Amino acid sequence: MNNLISFVKLIRLKNLIIVALTQLVIKFSLINPFLDNFILTNNQFYLLVLSTIFITASGYIINDIYDVKTDKINKEAIRIIGKSITSRNAITWYIIFNFFGLGLGSYIAYIVKQPYYSLIFIYSIFSLWTYSKRMKTSFLLGNLQVSLLTALSIFNIALFDVIPNGINKNNGEMMIFKIILFYAVFAFIITFIREMIKDLEDMEGDREIQAKTLAITYGIEKTKWISQIFTFITILGISYFQYFQYSISSSKFEYDISIWGVNRIAIIYAFFIQFLFLFLGFKIYTSKLKNDFHIVSQICKNIMIVGILSIPLFTYLHLN
């Protein structure tokens, strides 16, 4: 039982659930309700989700394998590799998960008649390996790498389920594609902020292995300042969306119209997300200690969840 619990922690089951729910929400709250010519059946889409989950889980495993030295300093109490799970067993699961992830991904690429899409899964596996081995301790490259992969997990949905049939502006495909792209960019930015904060949280162990992360290179205050800049950029982006909401809701039309994301509850929800980012900026500014940065990291994760949940909410309000 203890080994099972350790394995669940190793693959970050909670994070995997968030990844899966994000993809499922976009499929069943955005693509299926509004598009008639989506490509993947529900069962085929489940295989795409499983492929993403397998590869993501393998990324967590290889990351912990390479992080044993720093985890002895930063997270000794919750370290798994070398304690409850051996490195050999972890590597075995890493290979198994990548095998199934690549196999399922390649099958879905074949289904959509774009076999070269399988390169996306090869890139993801290779990218997670290089991140764990080298890029994680580099200056910004590791942060950008993880952020890009997070955004890619969302963009892949459009890539496999919308784009192969072509994007027809008159049938709503372009609008759905833009919405998916917007959420992919949102995921990229919030993940990038979180990765910089995690570097601040892990500074002690990173110094021990002579890492060159942003936090080590420029120090706490400058890293916080850069994180706040990206937080402010996101606030500006949400403000632009709020301006769109206000412009449409305050306009008078000859006929009653309903636009996705534009109604009273959606406007309030957008203000709530805006408040969360303002709170995030404040917490970044006031954080000083390791535990403070851990709390900020969790706030970033919660903002991601709240942002993604806007999709089913906006769709429900639009259709009802």
Side-chain angles (χ1 to χ4, degrees):
M1 187 64 180
N2 288 335
N3 286 341
L4 177 61
I5 294 173
S6 296
F7 183 75
V8 167
K9 291 180 179 178
L10 177 66
I11 63 174
R12 317 293 201 278
L13 182 60
K14 291 181 181 179
N15 291 356
L16 296 181
I17 291 173
I18 293 173
V19 172
L21 286 178
T22 298
Q23 293 190 320
L24 291 169
V25 158
I26 293 174
K27 171 66 171 175
F28 294 107
S29 297
L30 198 59
I31 294 177
N32 283 16
F34 298 112
L35 298 182
D36 295 324
N37 62 337
F38 55 82
I39 298 173
L40 298 177
T41 65
N42 292 346
N43 287 336
Q44 290 168 347
F45 187 80
Y46 295 147
L47 295 181
L48 176 63
V49 174
L50 279 176
S51 173
T52 305
I53 293 305
F54 279 130
I55 293 175
T56 304
S58 74
Y60 287 130
I61 293 172
I62 196 66
N63 181 69
D64 277 11
I65 291 172
Y66 280 113
D67 263 6
V68 169
K69 185 175 181 180
T70 54
D71 283 349
K72 286 181 179 179
I73 300 170
N74 292 327
K75 306 170 184 176
E76 174 59 22
I78 59 174
R79 180 169 62 90
I80 297 172
I81 303 297
K83 294 175 72 175
S84 51
I85 296 179
T86 65
S87 295
R88 172 175 286 187
N89 286 340
I91 290 172
T92 300
W93 280 111
Y94 169 73
I95 294 171
I96 291 172
F97 280 178
N98 276 329
F99 175 79
F100 282 108
L102 179 57
L104 290 173
S106 299
Y107 172 71
I108 296 301
Y110 170 78
I111 289 294
V112 301
K113 299 178 181 179
Q114 306 290 344
Y116 57 90
Y117 277 9
S118 60
L119 293 174
I120 294 171
F121 303 99
I122 295 174
Y123 163 76
S124 298
I125 293 170
F126 178 75
S127 186
L128 287 169
W129 174 73
T130 57
Y131 167 79
S132 301
K133 184 174 176 60
R134 293 194 302 271
M135 297 300 184
K136 185 177 182 179
T137 57
S138 65
F139 179 77
L140 279 183
L141 290 178
N143 308 91
L144 291 170
Q145 205 166 11
V146 171
S147 304
L148 178 62
L149 288 170
T150 302
L152 187 61
S153 70
I154 294 176
F155 185 74
N156 274 349
I157 302 169
L159 200 62
F160 282 86
D161 210 17
V162 179
I163 293 177
N165 271 349
I167 298 179
N168 190 329
K169 294 181 180 179
N170 298 323
N171 294 335
E173 284 96 341
M174 179 58 72
M175 182 56 66
I176 296 300
F177 174 76
K178 286 181 178 179
I179 292 173
I180 294 174
L181 184 61
F182 171 83
Y183 279 96
V185 172
F186 170 81
F188 176 90
I189 294 176
I190 192 66
T191 302
F192 188 59
I193 295 170
R194 184 169 186 250
E195 287 300 310
M196 288 189 284
I197 297 302
K198 285 169 63 179
D199 284 346
L200 290 170
E201 184 183 354
D202 294 338
M203 281 184 69
E204 185 180 354
D206 288 344
R207 280 200 186 99
E208 187 70 21
I209 63 170
Q210 298 180 331
K212 301 186 187 322
T213 62
L214 179 68
I216 297 294
T217 304
Y218 283 113
I220 293 175
E221 292 305 318
K222 287 186 178 179
T223 302
K224 287 167 57 177
W225 182 72
I226 294 171
S227 301
Q228 286 174 305
I229 288 176
F230 278 90
T231 302
F232 181 69
I233 290 172
T234 310
I235 289 172
L236 289 179
I238 296 172
S239 298
Y240 178 79
F241 175 67
Q242 289 175 303
Y243 173 75
F244 168 76
Q245 287 179 315
Y246 172 77
S247 298
I248 298 298
S249 62
S250 61
S251 299
K252 294 183 178 180
F253 299 93
E254 184 176 354
Y255 302 100
D256 289 336
I257 64 171
S258 177
I259 298 178
W260 190 88
V262 180
N263 54 66
R264 184 176 299 175
I265 296 177
I267 290 172
I268 294 172
Y269 199 85
F271 270 110
F272 176 61
I273 295 176
Q274 190 76 284
F275 167 78
L276 290 178
F277 271 100
L278 291 170
F279 180 67
L280 173 64
F282 171 76
K283 289 297 292 182
I284 292 174
Y285 177 76
T286 57
S287 293
K288 304 289 184 183
L289 305 175
K290 178 184 177 74
N291 188 58
D292 296 333
F293 295 124
H294 177 73
I295 292 172
V296 173
S297 174
Q298 294 306 304
I299 292 173
C300 289
K301 183 187 291 188
N302 290 331
I303 289 176
M304 171 84 82
I305 296 171
V306 171
I308 295 300
L309 288 178
S310 66
I311 297 175
L313 175 64
F314 290 177
T315 295
Y316 174 80
L317 294 172
H318 178 68
L319 297 177
N320 296 276

